Amino acid sequence: MKHTAFFGDGEKTFALPLEQILELQRKTGAGIGSLCQRIPEGHFRLEEVVEIIRLALIGGGSSPKEAADLADAYAAKRPLAESFPIAVALLRLVWLGEPEPDAQDDFRQAAATGEASAILRARIAEAYAKDAE
């Protein structure tokens, strides 16, 4: 499953297939279930967000060098409001099989108004409600 989003200098394709998930777990020292549950709630280290972005760029077809350069320039050194929504959408894709269709716009607006945590809690509640159905 792939996700396309504007990142850095243009539209990029992201994916976290099994190979990248295993590497993400190795690099972060955390299981994918833990990452999928705590990062959307705002419990993360910057390095985790950067690794999600970097590995998902590789999974989406970028070369490892290009992915590292993009992640360094646009995830590690830019405001989290730009990369965090992409990381959350990717984890949602891994967890539920579908990204949030307009997550980037919602999160950018929420970041501007300081309401990001409320939107994250609402999204998580929606996901759990769908799972319970």
Side-chain angles (χ1 to χ4, degrees):
M1 293 172 278
K2 295 186 177 190
H3 176 68
T4 303
F6 185 89
F7 181 71
D9 59 355
E11 291 289 316
K12 304 293 182 210
T13 300
F14 300 86
L16 283 173
L18 180 60
E19 184 177 343
Q20 272 66 44
I21 290 172
L22 294 174
E23 180 67 1
L24 179 62
Q25 292 179 131
R26 188 185 74 74
K27 294 284 282 192
T28 62
I32 191 64
S34 174
L35 294 170
C36 286
Q37 291 188 349
R38 69 179 168 75
I39 289 177
E41 291 185 355
H43 304 286
F44 61 89
R45 294 185 324 261
L46 175 62
E47 300 85 25
E48 291 171 323
V49 172
V50 173
E51 277 305 305
I52 291 167
I53 298 290
R54 184 183 73 79
L55 290 168
L57 283 164
I58 294 169
S62 295
S63 73
K65 171 135 178 48
E66 178 186 21
D69 290 346
L70 287 168
D72 181 56
Y74 299 111
K77 297 176 181 170
R78 299 277 309 150
L80 280 169
E82 296 173 10
S83 57
F84 180 73
I86 296 171
V88 170
L90 292 164
L91 293 174
R92 181 180 168 90
L93 186 62
V94 168
W95 189 258
L96 298 172
E98 60 184 35
E100 190 64 29
D102 56 1
Q104 282 188 310
D105 291 336
D106 285 353
F107 284 119
R108 282 188 182 124
Q109 183 177 0
T113 62
E115 298 176 17
S117 63
I119 288 179
L120 287 171
R121 286 192 301 275
R123 293 272 164 75
I124 292 165
E126 288 172 12
Y128 282 121
K130 286 181 184 178
D131 285 345
E133 291 176 352

